[in-house]
């Protein structure tokens, strides 16, 4: 079998592709051709029912021609991951010859659904990593702020102790200035004798 998978991301504008099977090394369609192929496939699908997370098996007349992919697809599925990403997967003829039956179509739909779950999980994981990175950055900033506050608190405590010490010293000196000491009398008597 030959397999071709294309996933278009609307906001990013990119198209990711993967090819498997004989001749898969050959160059594939350009991004614009792929985007056109996906939207051409939409004509064969009930777009109003193609909700995010859904898969639609394409009718044989909605499949691209052999020139577009490098092989003639015999089975295709259109899937929509969310409002921004959708994709198509095409299978070529079986290696033993012949087309694909309803069992293969059901299997393809199941695999496409599993693929979408994997993509959604990957996106969720990337979102969680980004949120964790943001949380780590905020925690580091919070720790720095806490360290700065602790340092400022220590300086304030030191200045409060220094203020209390200076105040006590000034109070003692002020009390001493207002009191007469016994040595002051001795000096007065000595000065009067002279």
């Amino acid at each position: 079998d030959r397999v071709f998978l294309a996933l278009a991301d609307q906001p990013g504008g990119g198209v990711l592709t993967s090819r498997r099977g004989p001749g898969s090394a050959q160059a594939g369609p350009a991004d614009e051709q792929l985007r056109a192929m996906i939207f051409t496939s939409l004509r064969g699908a009930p777009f109003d029912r193609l909700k995010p997370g859904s898969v639609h098996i394409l009718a044989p007349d909605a499949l691209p021609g052999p020139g577009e992919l490098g092989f003639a697809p015999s089975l295709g599925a259109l899937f929509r991951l969310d409002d921004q990403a959708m994709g198509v997967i095409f299978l070529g003829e079986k290696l033993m010859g012949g087309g694909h039956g309803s069992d293969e179509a059901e299997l393809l739909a199941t695999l496409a659904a599993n693929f979408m779950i994997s993509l959604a999980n990957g996106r969720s994981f990337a979102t969680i990593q980004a949120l964790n990175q943001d949380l780590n950055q905020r925690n580091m900033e919070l720790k720095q702020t806490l360290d700065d506050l602790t340092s400022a608190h220590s300086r304030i405590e030191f200045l409060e102790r220094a203020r209390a010490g200076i105040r006590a010293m000034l109070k003692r000196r002020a009390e001493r200035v207002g009191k007469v000491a016994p040595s002051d009398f001795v000096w007065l008597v000595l000065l009067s004798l002279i």
Side-chain angles (χ1 to χ4, degrees):
D1 281 343
R2 290 183 183 185
V3 178
F4 178 81
L5 171 72
L7 179 65
D9 184 19
Q10 295 298 334
V15 178
L16 303 172
T17 62
S18 179
R19 298 172 155 272
R20 295 291 181 260
S24 62
Q26 68 186 27
D31 282 2
E32 287 306 314
Q33 291 173 309
L34 290 169
R35 213 176 269 104
M37 189 183 312
I38 290 171
F39 290 106
T40 301
S41 299
L42 282 173
R43 284 184 281 146
F47 189 71
D48 58 330
R49 287 185 287 159
L50 193 60
K51 305 268 186 250
S54 63
V55 179
H56 177 76
I57 299 297
L58 297 170
D61 61 341
L63 298 174
E68 293 178 74
L69 296 175
F71 67 93
S74 64
L75 182 61
L78 177 68
F79 57 91
R80 186 171 181 178
L81 182 62
D82 54 28
D83 289 333
Q84 300 173 347
M86 60 180 53
V88 290
I89 185 166
F90 298 111
L91 299 180
E93 296 289 328
K94 293 181 181 181
L95 290 176
M96 305 298 259
H100 296 283
S102 61
D103 289 342
E104 285 96 355
E106 188 177 324
L107 179 61
L108 181 62
T110 302
L111 291 174
N114 287 337
F115 175 69
M116 287 189 299
I117 290 169
S118 296
L119 283 175
N121 288 344
R123 284 181 169 182
S124 295
F125 184 72
T127 300
I128 289 168
Q129 280 186 318
L131 290 173
N132 280 339
Q133 187 175 12
D134 183 52
L135 184 60
N136 285 338
Q137 178 65 31
R138 288 180 183 209
N139 282 342
M140 288 173 51
E141 291 170 2
L142 185 59
K143 184 183 179 317
Q144 182 61 42
T145 302
L146 187 59
D147 290 345
D148 292 346
L149 285 173
T150 302
S151 174
H153 182 67
S154 296
R155 282 184 293 210
I156 289 171
E157 284 180 342
F158 172 76
L159 291 174
E160 288 290 329
R161 284 191 306 268
R163 182 184 74 143
I166 291 172
R167 180 182 260 175
M169 182 183 71
L170 289 175
K171 187 176 179 182
R172 283 191 309 268
R173 292 226 174 167
E175 288 173 356
R176 186 171 165 228
V177 167
K179 292 183 179 178
V180 178
S183 62
D184 292 337
F185 285 115
V186 171
W187 285 108
L188 282 174
V189 170
L190 284 176
L191 287 172
S192 61
L193 293 173
I194 303 186

